[in-house]
Amino acid sequence: MTDTPDLVVLLYRADWTRLSLAAEVSRTVDLDLSALRSEPDVPRARSGNEWETATDLQGTETTRSTLLVAPGRRYRYQGEGFIDGSDGDRSWHEVEDDGAWVATLTTDPEGSGPPLRTLLRPTWLLTGFALEIGGPVTACGREALRVVATPQRSMSDSMRWREPRGREPLDRVEVIVDAELGILLRHEEIFQGQALSLTELVSVSFDPAQAADDAQFQPPSGWAAAEKNAKPTPPDVLDSDLVKLTMVLMAGGLGALIKPSSSDPFGQATREEPGTAMPEDEPFPPGALPVSDEVLHLLHAGQDRQEPGIEATLHCWQDITALLSRAPDRVRRAGLGRIGSLVDAAGQRIPPEHTVTHLRIAGPDRYRIDEVAGPKARARPVTTVCDGERRWSIFADKVKVGAPAPPRGEIANLLDPSWLLEARLTGGTETVIGGRRGYRLAAAPDYPHRIPMYSPDEVVVDAELGVLLGWITHLGPRTLMRYELRDITAYSGEPGDFQPDLPPGIRVIEEDPDDGVTPGPGDTPSAMAGFFARQAAKDARSAVQGFVDFIRGGDARLPQDDADDLAGEDDEASPRLATIMCGEPRGTTGENMDLDRRLDPEIAAALAELPIMDLSDIPAAREIMLERRAAAAADAAPSPTVVRQDHLVPGLNGAPDVRVRHYRPIRAPGVLPCLYWIHGGGHVLGQVDQDDLVMDHIVDTVGCAAVSVEWRRAPEHPFPAPMDDCYAGLAWTHKHAAELNVDPQRIAVGGASSGGGSAAGLVLLARDRGEFPVCFQLLIYPMLDDRNATPASMALTDPRVWNRTSNLIGWRAYVGDAAGTDRVSPYAAPARAANLAGLPPAYLAVGDLDLFIDEDIEYAQRLQQAAVPTELHVYPGGSHAFETYAPGSALARRFVRDRDEALRRAFGF
């Protein structure tokens, strides 16, 4: 290699769609480092204890796969148990299932994206990293460059698609770049000084013969099989009209549009003083010339050119009428609460909205943003100030104070436009905006998941500073959104410029670290919907929630900060939930999960007497459980009217025998219904005898028999071993129904906490196998969802009760490093079950201060939607398992009475 290539140009112009190559791909991952990076706050096990042996020492995993790429976006990528491919127009996926291959059509409406995108489309290196060329090397017989990419502090830190929330940043990325093609031949991630993952092409051949064989790029099972299993368009690639509808309503603030007056919902919004008219578009020059190298460097190094800082005025215009008039038919058909009336009634009532913002920027965490003119949205601060150590968001009636963060998304995007290097850019004719010279570019998504969903189709790049002077988004022929930066001057920042002037007596609120950050490029629909909810006024909350549910396809999991704003302590619950609340419904996040303030007084007094349980030491936690059980047994003797008998039943598929305990009322001859019970314990704690008193009570009060199963505990025995034990016990109960004097048609399955989750999973498994009928499911505050993404699961951190840390540990012990991924079976985490139809009637009960409240309510709703008769009880002031440690409280007595009556009804008494 005689000359070192221009790295920015080389990476940007890497074009996988013209490649013709075959390669073997090797990927090695350090599973222990990966787990540490994903869950940095989860305590690691102590050296030498049994949990570390069972779950932490996972070592490395190496996989091999083959890759075939041909011109025209055609590829075939094959590994153990899967094949991905595309013929250039249609993408498909095949997976091996029980020895058979199942094909699925996964057509991307924006066109087929590359396989191994990290290697074949390396433009991701051009934003958020400082690049250093280490010198020439040879790899796969080709001339190449060794490059070190180090994450750097920048405006793009607000673009949170880089890493999922809570994941620790990498130290650096080391890559080998093909000096001719620009693709990566090797990609290694370094975390805490160690290799986290290594992906490399270990052999490459160009223009292989198989690239000319069209059959290589078709699903082996055939197109008919793939089309039969075609997946619907996922939320991440919703049609552009729907995405733009969402984003503009977000940016403008739905509260500015929806008013409580039913006769004139837009009246007040349209009485704002008219601002400057949106500038007219100039026709884009014909032709699609490639963007110049000069412009690529302007975009890549724009932030460096702005030092020490800039002062500017930001103008934004939004044509909301244009957007609403083009709302897709499926938006109208979906209803979406008040959104439907907004879409239908808007017409020409809403003029284009114009806002003006004054910016003083001295860095990603030193700035002042003042809203100067335009409609006021309550959810947007009037002034935002950040001094590098704190950030103040000043509203009309309050101030939110939090950790430093980059400016909100659209401002960060304008000042650091390096993210545009992940788009297809053309053009570059000179133009002038606000007296400054710039280059006019057309921008199109290279891959829709990687740039803003409200992405511009036209931008103007300042020829000196590299900032975006203009940003235009069109919807058909109309301009939907337009940003312009004007009055740009150099700005060094004076002492005190980044300190706020707070009005005397204003309310000051400490915000969560992630609160209030506007989604940046590539944010998922989940983050998008969360911010949308924050922007809405309280009187539009029901419409927002409907829209959130629609965008997510029913998977309504708001981030913590979004749900806080959506709920609000004075909010009324939706009518749908109010009918199933056992008391006044309240929100589930923020201060509403404050145990000290909201616990039932009797529950709080009992909780104060309990020892704190630290699940990071599972053996010690098990000892505490034994002590609790011993204390409970000392206070209450076994029922003299119930007989108990233990049995050892055969395990599944050669597994160890399973202990079950049979409970039966002495004075109840004849055939009885039976409750098959699974005790709780976060999948890691507990034994069958911990619920002896509960079973005695149910058998006595309801008049049924009961069988309780002793399942093997994680982490020594992770899923599916505990579920196998539960199924073995249920099978034995059915097969021995005659000798147990039990009616096999009236066997219910129940459990509490993790036992409730396992009960729900067992009922799913019984339905799918079709071997043993279940007449009813009794789910007591069930542990259903390994994803830990509901508002309550993020809010509840109090160590006195089952909290977020305990939940993460419990799930990780149960399902290992699959926790939080799509590899988790719905039999382990029933919230993941796609189909709840055909299940037996259900009863769910949970306290409103329980970490599981959100997932339990959602599961109950989904059961109802699947036509499963479902009864849900929510107990205000109740924490997790409150009836076990405060059994004499009025709330616990009501809880037990409701549960027993539900069982009696289920058994036909």
Side-chain angles (χ1 to χ4, degrees):
M1 187 186 314
T2 56
D3 298 317
T4 301
D6 184 321
L7 185 59
V8 172
V9 174
L10 182 65
L11 292 172
Y12 176 80
R13 301 200 189 282
D15 188 355
W16 77 277
T17 68
R18 297 184 179 183
L19 292 177
S20 177
L21 64 81
E24 183 177 348
V25 184
S26 172
R27 176 169 171 79
T28 301
V29 179
D30 186 318
L31 299 176
D32 301 307
L33 272 182
S34 180
L36 179 63
R37 184 180 178 223
S38 298
E39 300 176 358
D41 297 327
V42 175
R44 300 292 112 187
R46 298 192 177 103
S47 177
N49 81 18
E50 58 184 341
W51 186 42
E52 179 180 78
T53 302
T55 65
D56 271 17
L57 303 181
Q58 303 175 79
T60 60
E61 178 181 74
T62 299
T63 57
R64 294 273 180 162
S65 52
T66 59
L67 174 67
L68 176 66
V69 180
R73 296 180 175 266
R74 296 179 296 157
Y75 67 86
R76 181 188 181 99
Y77 179 43
Q78 183 166 354
E80 184 177 356
F82 77 91
I83 312 173
D84 291 331
S86 173
D87 67 352
D89 296 317
R90 296 174 292 179
S91 303
W92 50 268
H93 172 71
E94 286 216 14
V95 62
E96 189 175 15
D97 185 11
D98 291 334
W101 287 86
V102 179
T104 304
L105 195 66
T106 58
T107 302
D108 187 335
E110 297 289 344
S112 174
L116 288 172
R117 186 184 184 283
T118 300
L119 300 183
L120 299 185
R121 190 66 175 113
T123 50
W124 58 271
L125 283 166
L126 297 177
T127 179
F129 292 97
L131 303 180
E132 180 182 356
I133 298 178
V137 295
T138 300
C140 297
R142 296 185 59 82
E143 291 184 337
L145 295 173
R146 185 181 300 278
V147 177
V148 176
T150 305
Q152 65 177 355
R153 182 78 167 142
S154 69
M155 294 289 182
S156 61
D157 289 353
S158 67
M159 304 172 192
R160 290 193 277 184
W161 47 265
R162 279 289 163 222
E163 299 294 348
R165 191 178 298 185
R167 179 174 289 184
E168 292 287 292
L170 296 168
D171 297 351
R172 64 185 184 279
V173 179
E174 298 180 1
V175 300
I176 293 180
V177 185
D178 187 292
E180 177 188 358
L181 301 174
I183 64 173
L184 303 188
L185 303 175
R186 190 176 193 271
H187 168 266
E188 184 174 24
E189 296 178 322
I190 308 299
F191 177 64
Q192 294 192 353
Q194 304 176 64
L196 172 65
S197 71
L198 170 63
T199 305
E200 58 183 337
L201 305 182
V202 294
S203 64
V204 181
S205 62
F206 289 89
D207 298 317
Q210 59 264 46
D213 181 4
D214 290 341
Q216 293 286 337
F217 309 108
Q218 299 173 7
S221 300
W223 286 115
E227 291 168 353
K228 180 180 179 181
N229 299 320
K231 292 182 178 179
T233 302
D236 278 6
V237 288
L238 290 170
D239 58 77
S240 59
D241 282 4
L242 178 56
V243 168
K244 289 176 179 178
L245 168 62
T246 306
M247 296 310 299
V248 171
L249 289 178
M250 276 176 43
L254 187 62
L257 301 179
I258 300 179
K259 301 298 173 183
S261 169
S262 59
S263 59
D264 186 12
F266 308 103
Q268 184 174 346
T270 58
R271 294 185 193 115
E272 302 285 351
E273 290 298 319
T276 305
M278 184 185 299
E280 293 290 332
D281 274 357
E282 297 179 7
F284 200 84
L289 297 176
V291 65
S292 69
D293 294 354
E294 177 189 359
V295 172
L296 295 180
H297 281 280
L298 275 174
L299 294 170
H300 181 249
Q303 186 170 299
D304 297 337
R305 294 169 177 262
Q306 301 163 31
E307 294 182 352
I310 65 171
E311 186 168 2
T313 304
L314 171 62
H315 292 256
C316 174
W317 293 267
Q318 297 169 1
D319 190 341
I320 297 173
T321 298
L323 183 68
L324 295 176
S325 67
R326 290 286 300 277
D329 289 340
R330 65 193 187 96
V331 174
R332 292 185 171 89
R333 287 196 303 267
L336 307 181
R338 295 185 216 179
I339 295 286
S341 62
L342 183 150
V343 170
D344 292 333
Q348 286 73 42
R349 298 291 302 278
I350 309 174
E353 185 178 277
H354 178 217
T355 59
V356 181
T357 307
H358 184 226
L359 311 177
R360 280 180 282 184
I361 311 290
D365 55 7
R366 295 182 69 243
Y367 55 83
R368 181 184 182 99
I369 301 170
D370 293 289
E371 305 296 333
V372 177
K376 305 299 182 185
R378 289 181 56 191
R380 175 165 289 184
V382 176
T383 297
T384 304
V385 184
C386 187
D387 68 353
E389 297 181 358
R390 303 285 281 167
R391 182 183 63 176
W392 294 266
S393 300
I394 304 171
F395 299 80
D397 59 345
K398 63 186 175 183
V399 177
K400 288 187 175 183
V401 185
R408 67 176 185 255
E410 72 270 23
I411 296 174
N413 296 344
L414 291 164
L415 298 178
D416 179 12
S418 58
W419 55 271
L420 274 171
L421 293 170
E422 299 215 51
R424 295 193 300 271
L425 303 174
T426 55
T429 57
E430 290 196 14
T431 188
V432 175
I433 289 185
R436 295 188 64 87
R437 186 171 63 91
Y439 299 105
R440 190 178 180 192
L441 306 174
D446 181 59
Y447 193 53
H449 303 285
R450 306 297 296 180
I451 66 172
M453 286 199 239
Y454 55 113
S455 58
D457 37 61
E458 183 180 330
V459 297
V460 176
V461 185
D462 187 276
E464 176 189 357
L465 299 177
V467 301
L468 296 187
L469 297 175
W471 161 319
I472 305 174
T473 300
H474 292 95
L475 185 64
R478 298 181 65 167
T479 301
L480 178 66
M481 182 184 301
R482 185 184 188 106
Y483 290 102
E484 288 189 5
L485 273 182
R486 300 178 180 177
D487 312 316
I488 298 176
T489 59
Y491 175 72
S492 58
E494 300 295 331
D497 279 359
F498 304 124
Q499 293 293 319
D501 299 320
L502 301 182
I506 195 168
R507 183 164 58 107
V508 178
I509 302 171
E510 288 287 334
E511 66 180 358
D512 291 334
D514 290 325
D515 186 40
V517 180
T518 303
D523 270 326
T524 63
S526 177
M528 176 185 78
F531 182 68
F532 179 84
R534 275 204 303 279
Q535 299 299 337
K538 286 188 176 181
D539 63 329
R541 192 165 284 110
S542 63
V544 174
Q545 186 61 62
F547 199 63
V548 166
D549 289 343
F550 177 74
I551 288 292
R552 292 173 166 174
D555 186 18
R557 292 181 176 83
L558 291 178
Q560 163 75 46
D561 49 341
D562 306 338
D564 284 344
D565 289 337
L566 181 62
E569 63 178 319
D570 298 324
D571 295 347
E572 296 179 1
S574 69
R576 180 178 192 179
L577 292 185
T579 61
I580 53 177
M581 294 286 188
C582 298
E584 180 186 357
R586 299 181 176 91
T588 62
T589 58
E591 63 182 12
N592 288 331
M593 294 299 280
D594 183 352
L595 300 190
D596 291 328
R597 186 173 64 87
R598 293 198 51 236
L599 264 182
D600 177 276
E602 291 180 291
I603 307 299
L607 184 61
E609 302 299 319
L610 296 180
I612 298 295
M613 184 181 297
D614 180 6
L615 207 61
S616 64
D617 187 341
I618 291 179
R622 288 171 177 169
E623 289 298 322
I624 292 175
M625 283 285 288
L626 289 173
E627 293 171 4
R628 287 189 184 181
R629 187 170 68 250
D635 292 337
S639 170
T641 59
V642 175
V643 61
R644 305 172 184 170
Q645 184 176 6
D646 285 1
H647 302 268
L648 286 178
V649 308
L652 289 187
N653 303 318
D657 288 347
V658 179
R659 182 164 69 113
V660 298
R661 180 165 295 174
H662 176 216
Y663 307 79
R664 185 175 180 85
I666 294 175
R667 299 187 181 89
V671 175
L672 297 177
C674 178
L675 172 64
Y676 181 78
W677 183 256
I678 306 172
H679 72 78
H683 296 301
V684 298
L685 307 174
Q687 294 174 313
V688 69
D689 50 355
Q690 76 182 39
D691 287 338
D692 278 345
L693 298 178
V694 176
M695 294 297 98
D696 282 357
H697 170 87
I698 288 176
V699 167
D700 263 337
T701 305
V702 176
C704 64
V707 174
S708 185
V709 60
E710 179 79 273
W711 44 267
R712 286 171 288 172
R713 300 178 297 194
E716 298 91 338
H717 304 285
F719 180 87
M723 182 56 66
D724 287 346
D725 293 346
C726 294
Y727 193 83
L730 179 65
W732 179 86
T733 303
H734 268 277
K735 292 175 181 177
H736 293 77
E739 63 189 78
L740 296 173
N741 236 1
V742 163
D743 182 354
Q745 299 304 314
R746 288 195 295 164
I747 295 179
V749 171
S753 192
S754 69
S758 293
L762 180 61
V763 170
L764 286 165
L765 185 59
R767 177 201 64 182
D768 294 345
R769 290 187 177 175
E771 295 180 307
F772 308 110
V774 174
C775 73
F776 184 69
Q777 47 184 327
L778 182 73
L779 309 180
I780 305 302
Y781 35 81
M783 181 176 176
L784 298 168
D785 198 339
D786 66 292
R787 288 165 288 196
N788 294 284
T790 63
S793 71
M794 289 184 282
L796 216 163
T797 58
D798 195 307
R800 295 172 293 175
V801 295
W802 187 260
N803 56 49
R804 179 170 180 80
T805 298
S806 299
N807 211 43
L808 289 169
I809 293 173
W811 277 113
R812 178 167 171 76
Y814 190 42
V815 297
D817 64 354
T821 75
D822 290 339
R823 292 182 286 133
V824 174
S825 167
Y827 304 135
R832 290 184 175 273
N835 178 17
L836 301 183
L839 294 176
Y843 176 94
L844 291 88
V846 63
D848 73 346
L849 297 175
D850 192 316
L851 179 138
F852 300 136
I853 182 173
D854 293 335
E855 61 198 66
D856 290 357
I857 289 176
E858 182 179 357
Y859 195 70
Q861 288 179 317
R862 292 185 58 219
L863 286 168
Q864 290 175 326
Q865 292 162 359
V868 176
T870 303
E871 185 175 349
L872 170 66
H873 289 250
V874 177
Y875 294 85
S879 55
H880 187 66
F882 66 89
E883 88 289 1
T884 65
Y885 59 80
S889 65
L891 193 64
R893 292 197 303 271
R894 179 152 57 98
F895 179 96
V896 169
R897 183 180 66 249
D898 293 342
R899 178 199 66 198
D900 295 348
E901 289 176 354
L903 264 181
R904 288 182 61 82
R905 290 193 301 272
F907 288 146
F909 292 144

